[in-house]
Amino acid sequence: MDNYKFRVEFLEDARQFLDELDEKAREKIFYNIWKASITNDRELFKKLQDEVWEFRTKFSKTYYRLFAFWDKTAKEDTVVISTHGLIKKTGKVPKGEIEKARKLMEQYFQEKKEKGRKK
């Protein structure tokens, strides 16, 4: 992982979104995520609002977005968590999608905190 700035994990909603796409689109999205993890390309990975980011892919005249946030709780391992995705049809990202990413992020950290207490 020496060349990577972060690694990416996918929550269930993100996995389902990716599973529903055709293979070529999914491959392009994974390629762009890989590329974003080794470069600082704002066209591929961009901050939207506060702690919500998006992986951006354009493939075959279609715009794909995977929402994400950073988990830097483990100092030796920086992780970007992808919450969910959408096929973008308008110029602006719908506020409801940003809010959904924020709620999934809060849920993720709450569950992580609870798991830490049980150990």
Side-chain angles (χ1 to χ4, degrees):
M1 193 166 133
D2 297 337
N3 297 337
Y4 296 94
K5 298 179 185 330
F6 56 84
R7 66 183 175 86
V8 180
E9 292 182 7
F10 300 91
L11 297 182
E12 185 59 33
D13 285 5
R15 277 191 230 110
Q16 285 179 350
F17 172 74
L18 291 165
D19 286 347
E20 292 171 4
L21 300 176
D22 73 64
E23 186 177 347
K24 295 264 188 216
R26 188 171 42 250
E27 285 174 4
K28 177 70 173 190
I29 291 168
F30 282 131
Y31 172 79
N32 281 353
I33 289 171
W34 168 80
K35 190 173 175 187
S37 74
I38 60 173
T39 65
N40 283 327
D41 189 336
R42 291 180 44 84
E43 290 301 311
L44 299 177
F45 188 53
K46 180 180 173 186
K47 185 174 186 174
L48 287 176
Q49 234 181 49
D50 302 322
E51 296 134 355
V52 178
W53 291 65
E54 69 176 349
F55 287 105
R56 303 158 53 98
T57 298
K58 180 182 178 188
F59 178 72
S60 191
K61 298 181 184 176
T62 303
Y63 295 90
Y64 299 91
R65 298 294 186 258
L66 276 174
F67 298 91
F69 61 89
W70 293 83
D71 179 353
K72 297 181 181 179
T73 54
K75 288 181 174 47
E76 69 283 347
D77 187 24
T78 301
V79 184
V80 172
I81 309 296
S82 179
T83 59
H84 69 291
L86 64 84
I87 295 174
K88 194 169 168 206
K89 294 180 167 66
T90 64
K92 286 220 169 229
V93 175
K95 288 184 194 271
E97 299 298 332
I98 295 172
E99 189 57 35
K100 180 177 180 178
R102 189 173 285 120
K103 285 180 182 174
L104 289 167
M105 177 183 69
E106 290 169 5
Q107 180 182 341
Y108 168 87
F109 283 117
Q110 183 63 37
E111 288 173 4
K112 187 171 184 174
K113 187 176 172 182
E114 289 170 7
K115 284 181 186 173
R117 285 189 197 139
K118 291 178 184 175
K119 287 184 179 179

